[in-house]
Amino acid sequence: MNARSLYWETGKGCLVLLDQRKLPVEERYVECRSCSDVVEAIRGMVVRGAPAIGAAAAYGIVLAALEFNGGRGEPCDLEGFREHLAAAAGALCAARPTAVNLRWAVDRMMRRASEAIQHASKGERGCGSIIEATRHKLMEEASKIASEDVEANKSIGQVGLSLVPPGARIMTYCNAGALATVDYGTALGVIRCAHAAGRNVRVYACETRPFFQGARLTSWELIRDNIPVTLITDNMAGYVMKEGLVDLVIVGADRIAANGDVANKIGTYMLAVLARENKLPFYVAAPVSTIDLSLPNGSQIPIEFRSAEEVTNVGFQRIAPEGVDVLNPAFDVTPHEFITAIITERGLVREPYEASLKRVAGSEC
Ligand code: MRU
């Protein structure tokens, strides 16, 4: 009973997002009818998780193409259409800076748009019909991005299965599940696959302050799938490891640099250091669209800083005194030395990361 994070509603011509700010208290859906609705939804965490925001952004480009009205009447403006799409792409990419899947998906959509415009322009077609053909191709491409993501996650699950012994107790962080992807999940994809294979796993989910993705989303997903889960606060992770209550850690990723350094939810680095201290394997599960070979190491990964209210408040309740200074980086970078292996849909990646990441990502990333 996975929770699909998003889908396209053909009848209404809109992108529907499961509102992740409200879960698990309320199962509410948000309809995005314009590209700027998608930008706001990504920025405001209605949809979150690297692959999910990538897929949402792809549909954002579709909405931008549908919104353009310079192609319906005369004079039709093909250059205006291109500029309109480029502006939409810029706004989507700026919505959240750390997860590279967002830019990856937007770039892929923009390449598709250029190809479609070029191809349609070769025929005898008028400008209006070139735009119509491009819209059609963009819709196809966004659906492909969404369905490929689900397939990639299922393959990640299969690849990761070899790392999960029977009875394994697995610690995870944030939410790298169906909600963070289009469906099935990356870290939770491995856990789902192990559960389905009868490995009798138990998950330790860290609550993941300040947005509580672990408490609110990971626990919710796992309970719906009848996968045993124990919720802990983030500062209990060391205790749980030292007491021998976990066997391995699996987390997701927002961006993987060429040397294997991994950006993921703030606190991941702390968990990796604890895992090494306690001699536990620390795995990262991610599709190849999360690999960014253009960055030699993690120090160049842009880290998003979010509002002070996420730290001073819990829900609508303020817990910190007025006037306190707050630091709220949403991600940190785990150096590759702390990572036992990276689980991708194209196989396991281990040291030396530079060469193995190039092998799985090829020229794509
Ligand atoms: O701020 P978020 O909730 O978007 O952060 C999400 C994470 O850090 C996930 O672990 C990551 O995106 C991988 S999701 C498969």
Side-chain angles (χ1 to χ4, degrees), residues 45 48-51 96 173-176 180-181 186 213 252-254 264-265 331:
M45 308 274 277
R48 45 139 303 276
R96 293 195 76 190
Y173 199 68
C174 191
N175 171 264
T181 58
T186 55
Q213 290 94 330
D254 285 82
N264 191 50
K265 180 51 53 193
F331 301 94

Side-chain angles (χ1 to χ4, degrees), residues 2 5 50-52 101 145-161 176-193 285-290 343-346:
N2 301 341
S5 65
N101 309 61
I145 287 175
S147 57
E148 283 173 14
D149 178 63
V150 183
E151 287 317 305
N153 294 335
K154 290 188 174 159
S155 303
I156 287 171
Q158 286 296 331
V159 170
L161 190 57
L179 293 166
T181 58
V182 176
D183 207 341
Y184 204 70
T186 55
L188 293 197
V190 176
I191 289 165
R192 281 203 163 91
C193 194
V288 296
S289 53
T290 308
I343 310 162
T344 78
E345 70 274 36
R346 298 188 188 157

Side-chain angles (χ1 to χ4, degrees), residues 169 204 237-248 278 280:
R169 295 148 314 159
Y204 279 85
Y239 169 88
V240 167
M241 288 185 189
K242 198 151 186 286
E243 288 297 306
L245 299 175
V246 292
D247 303 297
L248 58 133
N278 288 279
L280 295 173

Side-chain angles (χ1 to χ4, degrees), residues 321-340:
E322 292 294 341
V324 69
D325 287 337
V326 170
L327 189 68
N328 186 14
F331 301 94
D332 60 25
V333 174
T334 300
H336 63 274
E337 298 86 4
F338 290 88
I339 298 164
T340 313

Side-chain angles (χ1 to χ4, degrees), residues 12 19 25 37 62 75 115 134 142 154 164 170 179 227 236 254 262 264 277-278 296 303 316 329-330 342:
K12 291 183 179 170
D19 191 342
V25 177
D37 285 349
V62 171
E115 285 162 13
T134 306
K154 290 188 174 159
V164 182
I170 307 169
L179 293 166
I227 301 175
M236 294 173 189
D254 285 82
V262 168
N264 191 50
E277 170 71 14
N278 288 279
I303 299 295
F316 293 111
I342 300 174

Side-chain angles (χ1 to χ4, degrees), residues 28-73:
R28 199 176 82 112
Y29 289 84
V30 170
E31 294 179 354
C32 297
R33 296 172 182 279
S34 67
C35 178
S36 61
D37 285 349
V38 179
V39 172
E40 281 316 308
I42 292 173
R43 198 179 286 144
M45 308 274 277
V46 174
V47 60
R48 45 139 303 276
I53 61 177
Y59 284 109
I61 296 287
V62 171
L63 285 164
L66 293 172
E67 274 164 57
F68 182 75
N69 53 20
R72 297 218 171 90

